Amino acid sequence: RSRLTAPRTRTASPGPGRAHLAVARLSSRKGQDLILTGEGTPGLHVRKGAVDRDAGRAPRASGRQGPSMATAAREAPPADDWATFDAGSAPVAVARMRLNGDGIDDLVVLSEEQSRLGVSPSLPSMIFTVTNTDDSGTGSLRWAMEAANANPGNDTIAFNIPGTAVITPLTRLPVLTDPVFIDGTTQPGYMGAPRVGIDIQNVPTTEFYVAAGLWLLGPGHTLRALWLSDPVGPTTTPSHEKDRIGILIDEPDSVFIEDSITGYDFDTLARDKITTGIFVKDQGAVGSLTIGGAATSAGNILIAENPLWIESPMGLTPSGEVRIEGNSFQTSSPPYDSPGAGGSGIFVGTLASAITVGGTATGAANSFDTFGPCMLVEGPASDLLVQGNRLGPDRATAQSGDGIRAT
């Protein structure tokens, strides 16, 4: 197996010759990275952030359209936007795959002098280990998140907390702005269900969207095997159904949420005060986002008035689509009299596009047990595929909602 070495900065773009292009997520830049390989040229030449997030999008309401992929690739970049990676002998073809748990692509490389494929997996820049449940200080979750933000590149946050691993922050945790893999499976005793909890009862509801257990901003994040709960809730009735959020995802690209739980109290397993399990906050450019997965233990259990809320409008970029697979969506009698009472399992906002819910692969089906519609699509939408899901159990006495409602 070959591995990518640390990049060295190039002062010029690759020379002339027959070139092959590929697109992958290798850096923390917004937009995908462009990979160039050429005959007789050693290494992989990468232009960081070459493919703009708005490339190839449909025109917006203003009539403007983002640059095409070809235009984005032709733009003359600054010298420090180029990097070269050692991938053995001269590579002639490269394909991206996801071979490990983080949100950065791994590469499969075919070289001129090799009779077999080489694998170049992504490697964490740093590993920060959480060793206690303190609010701050060395070994705390807050410390690990701040350190990951300050360290450029793809980092991992691991866990090794003695005893009960429930973290109760006294204030809102930092917004994650640099690619990070928060891996709850590293906590001792993990056997397929989350053992790391984040209790957000102290996070204030003082402004819109602020009360979120974890807030992910930008590309390259992965959350795995975390349990987010709010057993107490705010001291006043929230003014909006998104006031108590388990996970807030802002402008995602190559983001994965797996094997996690929202909406259960850690101790009693009773319904807690989370009002939205996962909220996808779109500011006009959403790339690839995966909630759950078909693989064993990849699916999430999301319990709330609105388990999954995808804000409008969704953006279709060259990086891929939004996939929602293998999850359990549940709503129950809401804890407060809020506008989201009896909400939908999945809410999709106006102008949504490129979303797949479920599928035919083993383990891809989502299950729904909701008081409102299993899935609510509000307004015009395109390229939505809903396939192979279980839309609600048989209940003798319960409020009943639609399977799929489009308005």
Side-chain angles (χ1 to χ4, degrees), residues 288-334:
S288 64
L289 169 65
T290 302
I291 307 292
T296 303
S297 297
N300 305 283
I301 300 175
L302 304 177
I303 305 170
E305 293 179 40
N306 297 281
L308 175 58
W309 185 294
I310 302 177
E311 192 61 279
S312 62
M314 295 298 290
L316 176 60
T317 74
S319 56
E321 63 176 350
V322 177
R323 303 193 66 86
I324 304 168
E325 297 180 334
N327 305 286
S328 173
F329 298 100
Q330 303 176 36
T331 65
S332 59
S333 299

Side-chain angles (χ1 to χ4, degrees), residues 172 202-212 234-236 239 243-244:
R172 179 167 59 84
N202 294 322
V203 179
T205 311
T206 57
E207 60 181 283
F208 202 44
Y209 302 131
V210 100
T235 56
T236 59
S239 59
D243 274 335
R244 311 299 289 180

Side-chain angles (χ1 to χ4, degrees), residues 344 368 370-376 391 400-406:
S344 53
F368 295 82
T370 63
F371 278 71
C374 295
M375 183 173 178
L376 173 60
L391 302 181
S400 178
D402 298 331
I404 301 173
R405 182 188 301 170

Side-chain angles (χ1 to χ4, degrees), residues 242-275:
K242 294 189 285 291
D243 274 335
R244 311 299 289 180
I245 299 170
I247 302 168
L248 193 155
I249 306 174
D250 199 345
E251 296 188 54
D253 193 2
S254 297
V255 169
F256 300 85
I257 311 295
E258 301 171 338
D259 189 21
S260 294
I261 297 174
T262 68
Y264 273 135
D265 182 270
F266 304 115
D267 299 320
T268 66
L269 298 184
R271 167 78 167 86
D272 71 4
K273 305 302 177 66
I274 293 282
T275 51

Side-chain angles (χ1 to χ4, degrees), residues 12-52:
S13 59
R18 182 179 297 176
H20 304 273
L21 302 179
V23 174
R25 161 68 58 198
L26 301 177
S27 73
S28 58
R29 297 281 184 92
K30 288 187 177 181
Q32 297 286 288
D33 305 307
L34 190 65
I35 305 173
L36 287 79
T37 61
E39 293 182 355
T41 303
L44 301 174
H45 309 289
V46 178
R47 184 189 163 192
K48 294 171 282 185
V51 182
D52 190 88

Side-chain angles (χ1 to χ4, degrees), residues 105-126:
D105 287 327
D106 309 296
L107 300 180
V108 178
V109 182
L110 177 63
S111 299
E112 288 180 347
E113 300 175 2
Q114 291 180 338
S115 60
R116 59 181 181 177
L117 297 175
V119 178
S120 295
S122 61
L123 299 173
S125 175
M126 292 288 291

